[in-house]
């Protein structure tokens, strides 16, 4: 091979390599999105609520991979607001096919401006091969709608630095659903949250309802519950 031919070959290779590299990277990117079916999780949140959805995936094709998670978050707002997450049902991670197993929900609520005046409750979407008897199903338009009911429970803070201040716990019922994994792609799950107007004591017989509202009572010695008859501090 002449030096002229060798130099020309090097010139062609140098100019062809970026294009080849681009094709390889494009192929890898396409591999990551193959079969990326999704479903939509959406709904309404009350003022001062936020939602985090944590999608959990397992390896579906027997390759040497490990479980993965993806997170989707909405922010707090001072007025009622909507959220919307587009969640993959399956996707490719290298040579591994990842399949959604469940979606954990963190329902975050705040009742003040301080960091300690935030708390949460849990919910979740469970993917199953067959729906349990009586479980809600998607309608003819591919939608499933539910409303979770949330209640604030109050108590006197047990922290020494906040002695005498009110802290609250959050409890949400109905914050989940069973979903059939084979028919989930393309569907819409509408999960909205409502806050009950009445707040309640975190423990029974520790506060009593009076004409002036709820009042904490002095507990029995060695107990947390009210004395009989009740005594107020």
């Amino acid at each position: 091979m002449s030096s002229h031919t060798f130099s020309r070959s090097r010139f062609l290779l140098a100019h062809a390599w970026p294009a080849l590299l681009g094709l390889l990277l494009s192929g890898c990117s396409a591999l990551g999105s193959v079969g990326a079916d999704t479903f939509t999780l959406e709904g309404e949140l009350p003022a001062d609520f936020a939602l985090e959805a944590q999608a959990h995936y397992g390896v579906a094709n027997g390759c040497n991979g490990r479980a993965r998670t993806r997170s989707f978050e909405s922010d707090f707002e001072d007025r009622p607001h909507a959220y919307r997450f587009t969640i993959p049902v399956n996707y490719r991670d290298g040579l591994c096919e990842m399949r959604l197993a469940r979606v954990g929900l963190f329902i975050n609520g705040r009742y003040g401006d301080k960091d300690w005046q935030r708390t949460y409750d849990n919910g979740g979407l469970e993917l199953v091969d067959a729906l349990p008897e009586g479980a809600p199903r998607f309608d003819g338009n591919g939608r499933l709608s539910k409303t979770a009911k949330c209640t604030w429970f109050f108590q006197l803070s047990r922290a020494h630095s906040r002695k005498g201040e009110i802290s609250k716990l959050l409890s949400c019922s109905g914050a989940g659903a069973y979903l059939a994994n084979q028919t989930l792609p393309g569907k819409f799950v509408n999960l909205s949250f409502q806050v009950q107007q009445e707040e309640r004591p975190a423990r029974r017989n520790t506060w009593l309802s009076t004409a002036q509202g709820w009042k904490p009572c002095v507990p029995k010695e060695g107990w947390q519950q009210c004395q009989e008859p009740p005594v107020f501090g």
Side-chain angles (χ1 to χ4, degrees), residues 2-228:
S2 67
S3 61
H4 174 74
T5 302
F6 179 72
S7 298
R8 186 168 182 270
S9 298
R10 290 181 59 189
F11 175 83
L12 291 173
L13 182 60
H15 284 72
W17 175 244
L20 290 171
L21 180 60
L23 288 172
L24 287 171
L25 291 175
S26 175
C28 290
S29 176
L31 182 62
S33 62
V34 167
D37 295 318
T38 64
F39 81 100
T40 301
L41 174 61
E42 60 186 6
E44 299 291 327
L45 289 165
D48 295 316
F49 271 64
L51 185 68
E52 178 185 354
Q54 192 173 77
H56 295 259
Y57 296 87
V59 177
N61 62 348
C63 83
N64 187 22
R66 60 178 182 173
R68 302 282 186 182
T69 60
R70 290 187 177 185
S71 293
F72 307 82
E73 298 182 20
S74 73
D75 293 326
F76 285 107
E77 295 188 28
D78 58 7
R79 61 186 183 277
H81 55 287
Y83 73 92
R84 183 183 178 95
F85 305 142
T86 301
I87 301 177
V89 177
N90 55 66
Y91 69 95
R92 298 295 290 271
D93 182 18
L95 298 178
C96 295
E97 179 184 344
M98 310 302 296
R99 184 172 298 165
L100 183 64
R102 65 184 180 90
V103 180
L105 299 177
F106 296 87
I107 308 148
N108 300 303
R110 66 183 180 188
Y111 54 95
D113 297 329
K114 300 180 177 66
D115 288 342
W116 63 269
Q117 293 174 319
R118 296 187 180 190
T119 187
Y120 70 93
D121 196 12
N122 295 110
L125 306 175
E126 296 289 338
L127 273 68
V128 295
D129 293 329
L131 292 175
E133 185 177 353
R137 286 168 163 73
F138 290 101
D139 62 20
N141 296 318
R143 305 188 71 88
L144 186 155
S145 297
K146 291 193 68 179
T147 300
K149 307 287 187 180
C150 297
T151 303
W152 285 109
F153 291 90
F154 54 85
Q155 62 185 1
L156 289 175
S157 176
R158 298 178 182 179
H160 292 294
S161 60
R162 300 192 292 272
K163 186 175 181 180
E165 295 196 63
I166 300 295
S167 66
K168 296 183 181 181
L169 307 174
L170 182 65
S171 178
C172 297
S173 61
Y178 290 101
L179 304 175
N181 51 30
Q182 297 299 324
T183 59
L184 186 56
K187 298 295 197 302
F188 293 82
V189 177
N190 187 293
L191 180 59
S192 293
F193 297 83
Q194 292 182 355
V195 179
Q196 304 290 78
Q197 292 296 318
E198 183 182 8
E199 299 184 359
R200 301 185 62 81
R203 286 180 175 270
R204 294 178 57 186
N205 201 23
T206 55
W207 294 63
L208 295 179
S209 181
T210 71
Q212 292 75 39
W214 289 99
K215 294 182 65 175
C217 54
V218 178
K220 303 173 186 177
E221 186 175 354
W223 293 74
Q224 293 184 342
Q225 296 179 328
C226 299
Q227 300 181 28
E228 297 178 6

